[in-house]
Amino acid sequence: MWHLERLGLRSSPPQLLVLVYTYFCALGDCLFVTDYFTRTPRKLNAFNSFASVELFHFHVPEDTVMAVWNLITFKEQGGTFGDSCPDHNVTVYFRAGAPPVINPLHTHFPRDTVVPGSFAVTLTWTLPNRTTGAFNVTSPPPGDWFLAAHLPKDEGKISVKGLYEECQYLFQPQLIVQRLIGIAVLYPGYFIDQMIPVHNRSALYKVFIPSYVSRVKVQLVNCGTRNQSGGDSCPVVLKIRARAPPVHNSSALDCREWSPCELDSPLPAWGQWYYVLVERYLSDADVYFRIGVRITDCSKPNLPRDHASPSSALNMPQSFGMAMGFSLSETLPMADLPALSGNASRLRTASEDPVVYLSPSSDPEMCWPVRPTLRNELDTFSVHFYVFFGPNISVPPDRAAVFAVNLMPVLDSGGVLNMEIKLNMSTVKGANITVFGCLNHGMPLFMRENSSVKCESESAAGFLLTVNASSNITKLRIPYPQTGTWYLSLRSLCGTEHGFEACPNVTAEVYLRSYLTPCINDCGTYGQCKLLRTNNYLYAACECKAGWDGWGCTDNSGAYSYSFQLLSTLLLCLSNLMFVPPVFIAIRSLYLLEASVYIFTMFFSTFYHACDQPGIVVFCIMEYDVLQFCDFLGSLMSVWVTVIAMARLKSIIKQVLYLLGAMSLSMALQLDRHGLWNLLGPSLFALGIMAVAWTVRTVRRRRCYPPTWKRWAFFLFPGAMIATSAVALYAFVETEENYFYIHSIWHMLIAGSVGFLLPPRATPDASATPLKHRRRGCGYQLCVNEHEEMGLVDPAAIISINSICTS
């Protein structure tokens, strides 16, 4: 496991621990190179699901001996430092190879789901607006590293956007790596004479282990402190580590005898670099030794000694190059190595070859064929892996059936890897047979016949799957799997009194299904699978609803019951019926345009909330976005037309304002539907128009408008108080938990305030005549009788001249 060291978080900037190595790289000194990587600060969110987590992606280079993440968190409020913002702990998770699978709320994972491990760091504030921390990893695995950060779960308060300056918590990670360059490369099968000078502490090498290798053995022979036989013992310690250089003072095998020193690593990781550290102890002289790596090659059991090239035969990477300044295939002689047992080993003499070659060996018990799978991509994170001549697979009784599933780098780590195995009962022939499956990353694990079947080895561990007569189907889900090759080893064993043994003459048949999905079971009935992106990395996560929780929205500990969902839907929908009295009042007062707006609002608000429910009590007559737009527009237009009607403007001016308001509100809602000024702006503008109109009437008539105290006491004041209460509930009281009844009260209060504030029907002014008498000098004026204008006289009657205007 990686060596981790958490630094103190109270220093600013943090004091980074500089690890000093005294490596000596054979045939040339290693050099340290420091690389620096940073990411743009991002706003952190309170944790509700993984969809609310900020994910950061880094790449750690090869040959890295130390990785230090500098974690910076600071507050902002209104574009300035948020000194008055409250302190919230920031949790940061680390994982190599794939995003971390986190569960800060301790919810239940879906059945048959395994949870990969990760590291977590909690940052606490040390300054009013800024805190820093550091996370060190010694000898980190190279490749992709992911950081996930979030704030604690909040109270679920629904805040109006723009009501006040929101506190923002920004997080910025920085990565500093220290890596070695110029590490000497060993080729499997070749033994090379080396030396550790007296002024150096150790020598570091690396060797690439190809695929289909069942064992790696690092050997140190002819070791001593001088160039002759006899004398001192071998004063070195031998250490080996996969994927990253080992460090000093770690566990190792001491070689203190005159016999060969060796480290044996069964079932090594395939396609990875192994690092070998030869470290001196209690010696003040030059140390000479012959070092080599022997492998058990399963790909070519009878590999001849005169193969073309080590790099081509062992499937080494193209970047392997010419190690140590020369080509092994051209210069290394094919000589025999002296005996490596007992006291037969000896120190090198001048007549010996400096390089010795041994052919790879094979182990029939560990070398079983690996069958590949065919990759079929259907969609994003929707990939099926088909077995050739499958999906029915025969598992022989004497050996394992091994299959390889290859996940593309970065591309496939953001989904869920699914494995399903089903036993064909007709093939077991009544035997007490059990098929064990071992799924492991990097290399296959082979199970032996013993009393306790385990899917693990000294250096690796996998996931165990079993099927038998009593349970013939098993499933396994791995969220955010590591990329690379996953191996599934199937072995059929029969249960006996002494444990599991090989089944004689019984070949079991299983149905194997392997596939990649974005989310587990598409997040179920009460969840939505979302595809998320951070920079160029794509991943999927579930967002749960109706109180359900968990990684796959399967935790119903806080779920809403069906009766509760039905009650909340009915409250939100039926509360809009409070608009029926304002519609009736508007029609009776001949405010027909206003009544049509109220009907529009009542209709779309009802069906919008029927479609907006988080549970299964949902009914949508059209797209959700259209219903939401119409609901918001109807609510704002109801306020607009009511206040404009209260101003009692001329008909032409009122119609123009209605049209301008509808177009302006539509544009504002298209820009931002949740902004505060979308609600306050039109309302304040309409109130300003009403205040000007009422002031003009008050000045002209020299009396307060509206003129009667009853209008103020029984209509305007109650309506204003109801509207103010509705706005206060909407802005300060509404939360996710009380939304269904607080928002229902909001509907009823807004509709009730409209019923109180809508003005009564306008009465004609009795003092005004259809045609007022005006003096215009000398002339005549034809006055039409009022009954004639109303169409109440006989058409055959002669128009009478009521008055003559004289000068």
Side-chain angles (χ1 to χ4, degrees), residues 212 370-376 383-390 393 402-407 417 419 484-488 512-515:
Y212 304 105
V370 178
R371 297 172 58 180
T373 55
L374 178 65
R375 178 186 177 94
N376 184 19
V383 182
H384 283 254
F385 302 95
Y386 297 101
V387 180
F388 289 97
F389 308 106
I393 300 168
V402 186
F403 303 90
V405 175
N406 187 30
L407 300 185
L417 179 61
M419 284 284 178
T485 305
W486 288 79
Y487 295 92
L488 177 64
L512 175 62
R513 187 185 178 203
S514 177
Y515 57 98

Side-chain angles (χ1 to χ4, degrees), residues 456-509:
E456 61 183 17
S457 66
E458 296 179 357
S459 58
F463 306 106
L464 184 64
L465 301 91
T466 58
V467 287
N468 49 36
S470 60
S471 178
N472 67 329
I473 298 178
T474 183
K475 298 180 181 179
L476 181 67
R477 302 183 181 96
I478 305 178
Y480 296 161
Q482 288 181 291
T483 57
T485 305
W486 288 79
Y487 295 92
L488 177 64
S489 304
L490 299 177
R491 184 75 188 273
S492 61
L493 300 173
C494 287
T496 63
E497 297 178 357
H498 306 288
F500 290 97
E501 298 179 355
C503 300
N505 300 324
V506 178
T507 300
E509 185 179 90

Side-chain angles (χ1 to χ4, degrees), residues 651-774:
S651 178
I652 184 64
I653 299 177
K654 184 171 67 173
Q655 293 175 8
V656 170
L657 289 177
Y658 283 172
L659 181 60
L660 291 177
M663 292 188 296
S664 301
L665 291 175
S666 300
M667 179 186 66
L669 291 175
Q670 190 65 24
L671 293 174
D672 186 6
R673 297 180 188 178
H674 301 279
L676 175 65
W677 290 104
N678 289 348
L679 175 64
L680 290 183
S683 302
L684 295 177
F685 186 69
L687 288 174
I689 296 176
M690 184 193 70
V692 172
W694 284 11
T695 302
V696 170
R697 286 191 175 88
T698 299
V699 172
R700 286 182 177 179
R701 299 182 180 186
R702 296 183 180 179
R703 60 181 299 186
C704 182
Y705 184 87
T708 61
W709 66 269
K710 294 182 179 180
R711 182 67 186 170
W712 285 96
F714 298 112
F715 293 96
L716 295 181
F717 182 75
M721 292 301 299
I722 294 174
T724 304
S725 301
V727 173
L729 286 177
Y730 179 80
F732 303 106
V733 180
E734 199 171 79
T735 64
E736 294 180 358
E737 294 183 356
N738 62 21
Y739 174 80
F740 76 98
Y741 59 86
I742 292 296
H743 201 75
S744 301
I745 297 175
W746 149 268
H747 287 166
M748 292 184 287
L749 292 178
I750 287 296
S753 66
V754 168
F756 279 93
L757 296 176
L758 195 67
R761 181 178 179 180
T763 56
D765 194 349
S767 62
T769 58
L771 292 177
K772 294 183 178 180
H773 296 281
R774 292 180 301 174

Side-chain angles (χ1 to χ4, degrees), residues 95-116:
R95 188 186 174 202
V101 181
I102 65 176
N103 186 23
L105 302 181
H106 306 289
T107 57
H108 299 292
F109 278 87
R111 187 180 178 183
D112 305 321
T113 302
V114 295
V115 184

Side-chain angles (χ1 to χ4, degrees), residues 62 208-212 243 268-274 315 317 442 487:
E62 290 186 351
F208 185 78
I209 304 302
S211 300
Y212 304 105
R243 304 189 67 185
W270 291 357
Q272 300 292 338
W273 287 101
Y274 270 71
N315 192 26
Y487 295 92

